[in-house]
Amino acid sequence: MTQATEAPPRSRRAPRRRGGGRAGKIILLVLLALVLLLGGGLWWMYAHLNGNIDSVDLDKALGDNRPKKVVAGAQNVLVLGSDSRSGANGDLDHGDVSGARSDTTMLVHIPEGRAKATAVSIPRDTLVTRPECRTKSGDTVPAKKRVMFNELYSVGGPACVVKAVETMSGVRVDHFVEIDFAGFKGLVDALGGVTVTTKERIHDSKGGFTLEPGTHKLDGTDSLKFVRTRYGHGDGSDLGRIGLQQQFMLSMLTEIKKQDVFGSPTRLYKLADAGTKSLTTDSDLASLTALADFAKSMKGVDADTMETIMLPVAYDQIDPNRVVVAEPQATDLWTAVREDKKIPAAAKKSPASGG
């Protein structure tokens, strides 16, 4: 593995420890919403919502050469936020852009008993060894070293990302959930907007987004610009964008609680419909009943019991704008996840973030 220098210049694109797990919490809330939908007797809505969900057969795509399950009762869910901008997503960011990348990637570990969860965020700029992957057309893409993590999706889709995560961690991925830009916009609009407060002016001339200091209620389109803006905030790096994403997700959770979404069948259906329209899962979760059963099994998990950690990384010695997996911290972290044990404090420290 490529080694990192002791103290190279701090990258403008350096990852940050905070905020990666918020998207996973939103998806979890959507799954819990589906549980309440079914429990409320709204079965007549089943066919419509069920038809919204796309799926990927991971067993078929990955074959038998996968990590073995160590703890039977634990679950590991790979959550992806895709920046696909084709089709319905073409108008949501900066116009139609071919291909897609995994803009947000988290491995959510739910221990045996399912009363809490840990989300391990994998920085998008991490250099990894890409395993041999198969494309949707059936072609084989050879293994390659020093590939940026968020490029895996564009090469081999979600199955390639799952394979890479399993290869680097030794952790068996039980389920896969992906939501794209259109799904994010739809969730915000289904809530009627999300209120955010900014202390500094945001002016992203490249993205065409300006927000003056103060309190604003953002619709889905402006919310997407808010969490995607980079050049008009702070020093123009990914650090500032991660901070905005964390702030927005906290505001979104607050909005969900304030509206008592789960107490209104109409609002709940609207949220579930928006969430499932841009949802892709593994084939085992690709139905409303399967999602509901899975969510029921996690009823003890909520936003307050989910811990967020970043995969420990260090600056790459060749390109300080990229990071590499830091050892031995990463091995200790993955071992704890694999064996369903408490993650040591030392395994949560990331040289690239100063932690």
Side-chain angles (χ1 to χ4, degrees):
M1 176 176 291
T2 305
Q3 297 296 317
T5 58
E6 290 296 324
R10 183 170 290 275
S11 167
R12 294 180 67 250
R13 294 170 57 86
R16 198 179 200 172
R17 178 180 294 273
R18 302 179 298 142
R22 298 297 174 186
K25 295 176 186 179
I26 292 297
I27 292 172
L28 179 61
L29 285 172
V30 173
L31 296 183
L32 292 174
L34 295 177
V35 173
L36 294 182
L37 262 175
L38 295 177
L42 301 179
W43 283 95
W44 62 274
M45 298 177 179
Y46 173 86
H48 174 70
L49 293 176
N50 201 56
N52 285 346
I53 306 169
D54 291 327
S55 66
V56 174
D57 189 338
L58 293 180
D59 290 332
K60 182 178 179 181
L62 300 180
D64 297 327
N65 188 21
R66 301 179 64 188
K68 300 299 182 183
K69 189 79 173 178
V70 176
V71 180
Q75 291 282 299
N76 299 300
V77 184
L78 191 69
V79 177
L80 297 183
S82 166
D83 74 347
S84 170
R85 298 167 204 172
S86 60
N89 287 329
D91 298 328
L92 300 183
D93 194 38
H94 301 304
D96 189 74
V97 179
S98 61
R101 288 144 294 277
S102 51
D103 199 53
T104 300
T105 304
M106 291 167 291
L107 184 65
V108 181
H109 174 68
I110 305 150
E112 188 174 15
R114 305 192 184 186
K116 58 182 179 179
T118 300
V120 181
S121 298
I122 302 175
R124 48 184 271 168
D125 291 347
T126 306
L127 294 175
V128 299
T129 296
R130 182 185 69 207
E132 183 180 277
C133 295
R134 297 185 65 180
T135 65
K136 291 182 179 179
S137 61
D139 296 330
T140 299
V141 179
K144 184 178 179 181
K145 295 182 178 180
R146 292 181 59 81
V147 173
M148 203 159 75
F149 185 84
N150 76 329
E151 294 178 1
L152 297 169
Y153 187 101
S154 61
V155 171
C160 191
V161 182
V162 171
K163 187 174 183 178
V165 171
E166 289 190 338
T167 300
M168 70 191 295
S169 68
V171 174
R172 173 81 175 215
V173 174
D174 300 293
H175 296 295
F176 154 78
V177 177
E178 174 193 349
I179 191 164
D180 63 20
F181 278 0
F184 175 86
K185 176 183 179 296
L187 282 172
V188 175
D189 285 336
L191 284 169
V194 171
T195 301
V196 298
T197 300
T198 58
K199 295 182 179 180
E200 299 178 359
R201 184 174 188 258
I202 298 174
H203 178 63
D204 188 346
S205 57
K206 184 175 181 179
F209 180 64
T210 299
L211 200 65
E212 300 297 336
T215 299
H216 309 270
K217 190 159 191 176
L218 305 181
D219 62 12
T221 299
D222 282 343
S223 293
L224 183 60
K225 290 179 179 179
F226 182 83
V227 299
R228 294 288 298 169
T229 194
R230 171 180 165 189
Y231 300 102
H233 175 69
D235 63 358
S237 73
D238 278 342
L239 285 176
R241 175 159 62 183
I242 290 172
L244 290 178
Q245 290 173 349
Q246 181 190 36
Q247 177 190 352
F248 184 87
M249 291 305 173
L250 284 171
S251 298
M252 192 171 188
L253 286 171
T254 299
E255 190 71 35
I256 290 173
K257 292 179 180 179
K258 183 177 72 174
Q259 291 191 20
D260 188 23
V261 169
F262 301 133
S264 168
T266 300
R267 193 177 293 118
L268 184 58
Y269 172 75
K270 190 176 181 180
L271 181 65
D273 187 33
T276 55
K277 275 181 179 176
S278 297
L279 191 68
T280 302
T281 72
D282 62 280
S283 54
D284 289 341
L285 287 183
S287 72
L288 205 58
T289 50
L291 280 172
D293 287 343
F294 182 69
K296 283 179 183 178
S297 74
M298 296 192 302
K299 62 183 179 181
V301 179
D302 59 30
D304 295 328
T305 58
M306 181 180 286
E307 179 185 17
T308 302
I309 357 182
M310 187 179 77
L311 174 67
V313 291
Y315 293 106
D316 179 53
Q317 63 179 10
I318 298 174
D319 183 354
N321 287 320
R322 301 288 178 261
V323 293
V324 293
V325 176
E327 295 293 356
Q329 297 98 315
T331 292
D332 292 342
L333 184 150
W334 292 133
T335 298
V337 170
R338 191 165 54 246
E339 298 178 359
D340 201 17
K341 295 180 179 178
K342 183 178 179 180
I343 298 173
K348 303 176 185 179
K349 295 182 177 180
S350 184
S353 65

